[in-house]
């Protein structure tokens, strides 16, 4: 277990794939003790790549490894009534339970908040579901694609489309699922702080749709400003533009406000066209945005990506290269900040993981002693024997009986 | 057009979670301010320190809407990024103003800033300076690239973090350009910052110590595509853009519906769901292709399948399809526009959108906090402040200034 500011916080996780697991990873990376309960077949993230050396092995999925660092892992089959007693015994000792079963599922097993708070009145229980615990869609099914599009985030992508002929898209990778994890971590940290102050526990209902919608909140209420839905075309055009350089790399430039524009013009060596109408005033540039893009793209062809990036930044204007995973990893900025850190894992060995986006002056805030994600059932013996008092032989029997 | 209306908001009590926590918010644009708003939703008292020499950019205009406002108190974007706050206007370019800002910080628990690294120091308001007046202060600075490293002094807006962090390269059509998305990137940083501030408050409670926190916005974004970055550290491979495609599911896409620019997202994740899907679309002949029996076969032939699905969906409305598919146990949701969301029966049932009053703009609609706490409800207590709306109150009630002292401060232009 990592050591850090959340050391002492006890979390039980009964979640699958990304959102719930990422929320508890954020807690575990800062020192919380997270016991991850997996169904006997394991978290479905184990069945998704990228796999180390492209060899499919449930213990070496990068998706699973990244999303579950610093946790302890046990297996439990809640179909069995005895397993439910074990679940209760674990929750009894916890500050926080994060779960992501569909609404009603835990109630059927007698494991809903009403039951669990009898055992542990200070419990903070968090349920993460696609659409929340109530409302007409609460029983609806949604994969990442569907939640993303149900949040309004997809409808406006790709931003700056020439027209609406092509379909809206989701954010890259599983970004929305990770967003939900971060969103939930704020609620958990807040509720835990409240518990430290008052001893009071509570129930928290998180809807994935709403978590992602919250990030789109500005765009959604722009409806009232512009009198129609922002879309990926026209009205939602952002005053930035992508240019492609001589070496085929892309640079994103921000063209607003005036100061930004002035810096770009200087960086390009004050080209003649940029010094005269219709490119001098912001309003004119807006009206001639398409021409402006063509001009900028022509200019960009004179430079290599990193050269253009440094030129524009040197003039004090914001811009950046579009980085692939390789470029993120190899950037001197990433290296200087030691953003990736090596973490060892019993099967996958030592790999480099993206680390925390924070640096602290206080020693107490720094997470220490990181370890890799648990292998399936890695901590069964530790938790079942040392924590719950079963003998080693009983753990074998529990396994044979299909309970763990 | 008939704009959707929602329940009027009753007066609400502030959330209990951060009751008693006071925040000095020196931040501007979106990433910093929205973090302050999130903390205010959780009950913190957030005082925004504004400068008239350098008015918050969103009071003036935005990347998306330009300078289309009547004045500094009329920006809906500023309003949404600064809900629940107070505003004091202090001229931190004067020695009296700096002194006053420090006095204010000495009454606070947390300081938020997001200017370029070094700016706060130049003003005499660095972490070291502020620790002198409040030993256990928690100060967070979020910047585009972080406050250390060779790019630390570089400028960054939302599209910049997304690009440098690796997300933009992964977003877009397979045959299209990378996509930086919009202001949502700032909000992503705000949420990550809110989490670490509460964690620092937990740490302060346990150890009595504050901390300086340096947040790299680019790293915040990188963390959201962690597995894609690990594809490189594990196998030397950089993943590419894939539109709506999934690693193995098919059908898995967004298909056109009857109305203009309306779309349905459909994801079929198992053989059982495939069987149900076939039934909903009326068991057409093409689905009987033996190649489509298992996930691998469907994924392999995803383009051909997509073309068939498209032909079928375009005769129906997205909501009709959602109901039909969901009743059959298939994950299908419209790609919702703002209008869909604002008129949707589910968001209504969840009371997601509320009417509030802004002192200058009047009635407006905003989204309520998306955490549903059973004991300590998160609330938006008020609209954003007018520029300098609370200067006098804060001077008098929080800093204990007399009317005469306030006049002197006004005369020296420390407050204005």
């Amino acid at each position: 277990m990592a050591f850090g500011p959340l050391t002492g916080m006890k979390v039980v996780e009964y979640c699958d794939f990304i959102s719930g697991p990422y929320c508890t990873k954020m807690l575990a990376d800062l020192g919380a003790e997270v016991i991850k309960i997996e169904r006997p077949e394991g978290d479905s993230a184990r069945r998704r790549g990228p796999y180390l050396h492209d060899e499919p092995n449930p213990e070496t999925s990068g998706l699973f490894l990244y999303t579950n660092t610093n946790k302890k892992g046990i297996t439990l089959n809640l179909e069995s009534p005895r397993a439910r007693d074990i679940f209760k015994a674990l929750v009894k000792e916890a500050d926080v339970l994060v779960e992501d079963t569909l609404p009603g599922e835990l109630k059927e097993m007698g494991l809903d908040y009403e039951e669990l708070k009898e055992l542990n009145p200070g419990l903070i229980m968090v349920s993460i579901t696609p659409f929340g615990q109530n409302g007409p869609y609460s029983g609806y099914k949604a994969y990442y694609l569907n939640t993303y599009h149900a949040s309004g985030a997809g409808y406006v992508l790709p931003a700056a489309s020439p027209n609406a002929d092509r379909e809206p898209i989701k954010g890259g990778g599983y970004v929305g699922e990770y967003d939900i994890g971060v969103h939930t971590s704020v609620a958990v940290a807040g509720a835990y702080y409240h518990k430290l102050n008052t001893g009071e526990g509570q129930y928290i209902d998180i809807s994935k749709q709403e978590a992602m919608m919250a990030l789109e909140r500005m765009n959604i209420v722009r409806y009232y400003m512009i009198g129609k839905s922002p879309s990926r075309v026209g009205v939602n055009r952002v005053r930035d533009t992508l240019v492609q350089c001589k070496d085929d790399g892309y640079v994103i430039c921000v063209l607003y406000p005036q100061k930004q524009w002035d810096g770009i013009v200087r960086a390009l060596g004050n080209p003649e066209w940029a010094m005269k109408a219709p490119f001098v005033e912001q309003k004119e540039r807006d009206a001639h945005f398409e021409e402006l893009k063509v001009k900028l793209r022509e200019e960009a062809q004179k430079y290599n990506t990193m050269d253009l990036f440094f030129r524009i930044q040197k003039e004090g204007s914001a811009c950046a290269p579009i980085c692939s995973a390789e470029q993120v990893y190899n950037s001197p900025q990433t290296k200087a900040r030691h953003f990736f850190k090596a973490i060892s894992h019993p099967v996958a060995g030592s790999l480099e993981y993206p680390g925390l986006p924070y640096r602290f002056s206080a020693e107490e805030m720094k997470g220490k002693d990181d370890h890799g994600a648990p292998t399936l059932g890695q901590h069964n013996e530790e938790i079942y024997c040392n924590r719950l008092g079963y003998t080693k032989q009983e753990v074998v029997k529990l396994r044979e009986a299909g309970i763990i | 057009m008939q704009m959707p209306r929602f329940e009027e908001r009753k007066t609400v009590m502030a959330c209990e979670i951060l009751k008693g926590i006071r925040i000095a918010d020196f931040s501007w644009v979106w990433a910093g301010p929205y973090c302050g708003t999130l903390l205010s939703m959780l009950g913190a008292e957030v005082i925004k320190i504004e400068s008239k020499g350098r008015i918050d950019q969103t009071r003036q205009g935005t990347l998306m809407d330009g300078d289309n406002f009547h004045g500094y108190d009329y920006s809906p974007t500023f309003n949404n990024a600064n809900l629940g706050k107070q505003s004091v206007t202090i001229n931190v370019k004067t020695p009296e103003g700096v002194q006053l800002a420090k006095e204010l910080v000495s009454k606070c628990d947390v300081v938020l800033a997001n200017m370029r690294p070094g700016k706060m120091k130049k003003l005499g308001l660095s972490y070291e300076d502020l620790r002198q007046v409040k030993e256990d202060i928690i100060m967070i600075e979020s910047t585009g690239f972080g406050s250390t490293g060779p790019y630390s002094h570089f400028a960054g807006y939302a599209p910049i973090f997304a690009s440098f962090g690796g997300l933009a390269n992964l977003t877009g059509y397979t045959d299209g350009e990378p996509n930086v998305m919009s202001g949502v990137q700032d909000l992503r940083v705000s949420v990550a910052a809110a989490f670490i501030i509460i964690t620092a408050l937990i740490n302060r409670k346990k150890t009595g110590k504050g901390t300086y926190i340096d947040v790299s916005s680019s790293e915040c974004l990188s963390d959201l595509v962690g597995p894609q970055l690990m594809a490189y550290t594990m196998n030397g491979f950089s993943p590419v853009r894939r539109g709506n495609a999934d690693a193995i599911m098919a059908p898995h896409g967004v298909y056109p519906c009857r109305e203009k620019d309306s779309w349905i997202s459909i994801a079929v994740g198992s053989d059982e769901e495939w069987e149900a899907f076939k039934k909903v679309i009326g068991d057409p002949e093409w689905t009987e292709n033996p190649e489509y029996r298992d996930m691998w076969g469907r994924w392999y032939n995803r383009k051909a399948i997509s073309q068939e699905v498209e032909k079928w969906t375009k005769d129906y409305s997205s909501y009709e399809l959602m109901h039909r598919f969901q009743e059959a146990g298939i994950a299908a949701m419209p790609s919702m526009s703002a209008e869909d969301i604002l008129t949707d029966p589910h968001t209504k049932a969840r009371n997601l959108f509320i009417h509030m009053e802004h002192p200058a703009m009047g009635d407006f609609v905003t989204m309520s906090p998306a955490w549903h706490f059973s004991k300590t409800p998160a609330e938006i207590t008020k609209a954003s402040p007018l520029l300098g709306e609370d200067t006098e109150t804060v001077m008098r009630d929080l800093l204990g200034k007399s009317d005469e002292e306030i006049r002197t401060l006004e005369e020296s232009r420390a407050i204005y």
Side-chain angles (χ1 to χ4, degrees):
Chain A
M1 174 173 73
F3 179 83
L6 295 179
T7 296
M9 179 188 202
K10 286 187 273 180
V11 182
V12 172
E13 175 211 306
Y14 186 60
C15 297
D16 191 59
F17 205 44
I18 295 173
S19 300
Y22 189 62
C23 166
T24 62
K25 168 206 163 72
M26 290 178 71
L27 307 171
D29 286 352
L30 289 164
E33 182 199 69
V34 176
I35 300 177
K36 180 182 178 74
I37 302 177
E38 291 183 73
R39 293 163 181 84
E41 70 273 20
D43 190 313
S44 62
R46 294 181 182 276
R47 295 186 290 281
R48 284 282 175 126
Y51 289 107
L52 183 61
H53 310 313
D54 292 322
E55 291 159 12
N57 173 345
E59 300 302 351
T60 63
S61 149
L63 178 64
F64 181 83
L65 291 173
Y66 173 69
T67 315
N68 293 282
T69 50
N70 290 311
K71 301 180 191 177
K72 288 179 174 160
I74 61 172
T75 49
L76 193 59
N77 176 13
L78 288 188
E79 302 290 313
S80 120
R82 190 171 304 276
R84 295 174 200 166
D85 290 340
I86 294 174
F87 185 86
K88 283 183 185 171
L90 288 168
V91 171
K92 193 166 187 274
E93 305 301 321
D95 296 300
V96 181
L97 166 66
V98 185
E99 65 91 15
D100 66 355
T101 60
L102 291 175
E105 218 174 300
L106 285 187
K107 194 178 167 76
E108 257 173 46
M109 295 193 275
L111 299 174
D112 58 329
Y113 179 63
E114 296 309 314
E115 290 283 335
L116 296 175
K117 80 169 183 202
E118 294 298 320
L119 293 170
N120 179 357
L123 178 69
I124 297 161
M125 176 166 167
V126 189
S127 298
I128 305 173
T129 53
F131 298 98
Q133 298 293 314
N134 67 313
Y137 305 163
S138 59
Y140 277 13
K141 201 183 251 185
Y143 292 103
Y144 169 52
L145 176 77
N146 312 103
T147 347
Y148 200 93
H149 284 281
S151 74
Y155 194 76
V156 293
L157 286 184
S161 291
N163 54 54
D165 293 351
R166 293 189 75 175
E167 72 280 11
I169 55 162
K170 66 176 177 59
Y174 296 105
V175 60
E177 291 284 331
Y178 284 96
D179 285 330
I180 297 156
V182 185
H183 170 86
T184 309
S185 75
V186 178
V188 175
Y192 182 64
Y193 184 64
H194 182 70
K195 184 183 172 176
L196 289 177
N197 285 322
T198 64
E200 198 171 61
Q202 60 182 316
Y203 179 74
I204 308 170
D205 166 17
I206 299 284
S207 146
K208 289 185 172 195
Q209 182 197 27
E210 290 169 15
M212 290 176 59
M213 214 180 253
L215 293 173
E216 288 297 321
R217 59 182 304 133
M218 307 277 199
N219 242 336
I220 294 168
V221 299
R222 276 178 76 230
Y223 177 80
Y224 293 94
M225 233 172 113
I226 61 180
K228 56 182 169 177
S229 296
S231 86
R232 53 204 181 286
V233 190
V235 288
N236 197 43
R237 199 202 57 230
V238 183
R239 286 170 176 76
D240 56 36
T241 198
L242 200 62
V243 293
Q244 198 165 21
C245 299
K246 199 161 65 177
D247 54 2
D248 290 341
Y250 290 97
V251 169
I252 183 85
C253 306
V254 176
L255 311 174
Y256 173 92
Q258 187 67 32
K259 239 179 105 181
Q260 280 289 320
W261 169 253
D262 293 342
I264 290 171
V265 173
R266 285 195 303 274
L268 297 174
N270 300 309
E272 215 173 297
W273 62 265
M275 316 300 282
K276 56 185 191 203
F279 302 116
V280 179
E281 301 285 331
Q282 182 75 48
K283 279 213 162 62
E284 286 184 305
R285 287 196 296 275
D286 283 347
H288 297 85
F289 196 63
E290 293 306 315
E291 287 161 68
L292 177 65
K293 280 199 289 195
V294 173
K295 291 278 186 200
L296 284 172
R297 286 183 178 218
E298 281 169 17
E299 292 291 337
Q301 281 294 321
K302 298 177 186 163
Y303 307 95
N304 282 329
T305 310
M306 293 310 278
D307 183 21
L308 187 61
F309 167 51
F310 291 132
R311 273 171 183 269
I312 296 175
Q313 283 284 2
K314 199 173 155 217
E315 295 300 334
S317 284
C319 75
I322 301 285
C323 292
S324 65
E326 178 177 4
Q327 288 161 323
V328 171
Y329 177 80
N330 286 320
S331 155
Q333 179 67 7
T334 310
K335 299 260 185 219
R337 285 175 64 81
H338 306 287
F339 175 54
F340 284 82
K341 51 184 178 178
I343 300 176
S344 64
H345 179 272
V347 181
S350 177
L351 294 170
E352 287 190 86
Y353 293 66
L356 295 175
Y358 321 109
R359 307 293 181 278
F360 309 100
S361 64
E363 281 305 313
E364 296 82 0
M365 287 295 291
K366 299 173 185 169
K368 290 182 195 75
D369 308 328
D370 287 300
H371 65 77
T375 58
L376 188 60
Q378 184 183 345
H379 301 93
N380 278 355
E381 196 176 308
E382 180 186 330
I383 302 294
Y384 292 129
C385 299
N386 305 352
R387 217 53 85 76
L388 300 181
Y390 289 97
T391 64
K392 249 180 125 167
Q393 289 73 23
E394 283 169 332
V395 170
V396 173
K397 284 285 156 218
L398 285 171
R399 178 167 295 205
E400 284 171 345
I403 294 165
I404 68 173
Chain B
M1 183 170 26
Q2 189 67 35
M3 293 287 185
R5 295 275 318 169
F6 303 93
E7 294 284 307
E8 289 301 330
R9 198 67 187 293
K10 312 273 178 327
T11 315
V12 293
M13 297 288 289
C15 177
E16 290 283 316
I17 287 176
L18 296 181
K19 190 174 154 187
I21 297 295
R22 192 176 294 122
I23 294 174
D25 179 358
F26 290 88
S27 71
W28 73 329
V29 196
W30 285 25
Y34 185 60
C35 174
T37 292
L38 288 168
L39 298 171
S40 136
M41 289 173 180
L42 293 174
E45 179 187 345
V46 183
I47 303 172
K48 188 174 171 89
I49 293 101
E50 301 198 67
S51 143
K52 283 192 181 165
R54 194 169 176 272
I55 302 272
D56 191 336
Q57 224 177 74
T58 64
R59 281 196 186 274
Q60 309 178 54
T62 71
L63 270 179
M64 283 191 285
D65 299 299
D67 318 317
N68 298 331
F69 312 129
H70 306 295
Y72 299 144
D73 294 329
Y74 291 85
S75 159
T77 305
F78 177 86
N79 185 31
N80 270 297
N82 291 280
L83 296 163
K85 298 182 190 178
Q86 302 169 50
S87 163
V88 301
T89 33
I90 298 179
N91 184 357
V92 285
K93 291 256 165 79
T94 67
E96 294 87 351
V98 173
Q99 188 48 41
L100 201 56
K102 283 187 180 173
E103 250 180 82
L104 185 56
V105 168
S106 75
K107 304 273 185 194
C108 290
D109 304 282
V110 177
V111 172
L112 299 181
N114 68 339
M115 286 173 255
R116 283 189 214 187
K119 272 274 162 69
M120 287 296 273
K121 188 168 182 178
K122 223 168 126 190
L123 293 169
L125 297 170
S126 70
Y127 173 63
E128 290 311 320
D129 295 323
L130 298 178
R131 256 180 73 169
Q132 303 295 320
V133 298
K134 184 83 195 299
E135 174 69 30
D136 63 356
I137 197 79
I138 294 163
M139 179 174 182
I140 186 162
E141 279 194 280
S142 66
T143 52
F145 300 86
S147 70
T148 60
Y151 301 171
S152 62
H153 58 290
F154 283 1
Y157 284 87
I160 307 306
F161 335 145
S163 306
F164 194 73
L167 174 58
N169 189 52
L170 296 164
T171 303
Y173 300 119
T174 311
D175 59 354
E177 292 188 324
N179 207 266
V180 296
M181 308 146 106
S182 52
V184 61
Q185 312 296 6
D186 280 311
L187 274 53
R188 292 193 156 111
V189 176
S190 314
V191 186
F195 166 72
I196 204 64
I197 289 169
I198 301 170
T199 304
L201 286 167
I202 292 168
N203 183 62
R204 190 187 69 170
K205 187 169 174 63
K206 293 198 296 196
T207 65
K209 289 180 186 163
T211 187
Y212 174 76
I213 307 170
D214 156 26
V215 180
S216 156
S217 304
S218 298
E219 289 173 3
C220 285
L221 275 284
S222 292
D223 276 337
L224 303 176
V225 291
Q228 286 72 29
L229 298 180
M230 285 195 63
Y232 181 75
T233 65
M234 289 165 77
N235 298 331
F237 170 74
S238 291
V240 294
R241 295 178 284 289
R242 285 205 311 216
N244 286 312
D246 181 65
I248 190 63
M249 284 189 229
H252 186 280
V254 175
Y255 306 98
C257 298
R258 195 177 52 213
E259 277 73 30
K260 189 175 166 244
D261 200 14
S262 76
W263 307 80
I264 182 92
S265 68
I266 305 172
V268 173
S270 65
D271 293 341
E272 197 189 342
E273 286 174 11
W274 170 244
E275 291 304 321
F277 176 83
K278 279 167 36 181
K279 214 170 270 167
V280 172
I281 65 169
D283 286 311
E285 214 183 311
W286 66 265
T287 57
E288 283 158 32
N289 185 336
E291 275 298 306
Y292 302 169
R293 273 170 316 186
D294 57 20
M295 278 186 94
W296 194 83
R298 292 192 293 274
W299 182 82
Y300 201 81
N301 295 290
R302 61 197 180 279
K303 278 194 183 134
I305 291 181
S306 250
Q307 282 168 3
E308 294 292 346
V309 176
E310 255 179 60
K311 279 188 221 157
W312 185 81
T313 56
K314 67 179 175 37
D315 291 332
Y316 302 89
S317 85
S318 57
Y319 270 75
E320 184 185 351
L321 290 183
M322 170 184 83
H323 292 300
R324 286 177 64 174
F325 281 121
Q326 289 285 359
E327 273 159 31
I330 296 153
M333 291 303 292
S335 186
M336 289 189 172
S337 66
E339 189 172 348
D340 289 337
I341 287 169
L342 293 165
T343 53
D344 187 272
H346 187 71
T347 60
K348 281 221 165 85
R350 303 268 300 168
N351 293 321
L352 270 192
F353 292 89
I354 50 173
H355 276 276
M356 293 186 74
E357 268 307 294
H358 182 273
M361 288 182 277
D363 179 78
F364 69 97
V365 172
T366 195
M367 184 181 167
S368 46
W371 314 287
H372 302 262
F373 295 98
S374 66
K375 295 236 177 78
T376 57
E379 300 284 4
I380 304 169
T381 50
K382 62 183 273 296
S384 68
L386 304 176
L387 183 60
E389 184 181 342
D390 307 284
T391 308
E392 220 180 296
T393 328
V394 169
M395 292 305 136
R396 201 174 40 231
D397 299 348
L398 182 64
L399 303 184
K401 304 283 181 201
S402 67
D403 288 349
E404 204 182 318
E405 284 170 309
I406 293 174
R407 246 194 325 279
T408 314
L409 285 168
E410 279 167 353
E411 275 157 21
S412 67
R413 305 282 292 160
I415 55 176
Y416 53 178

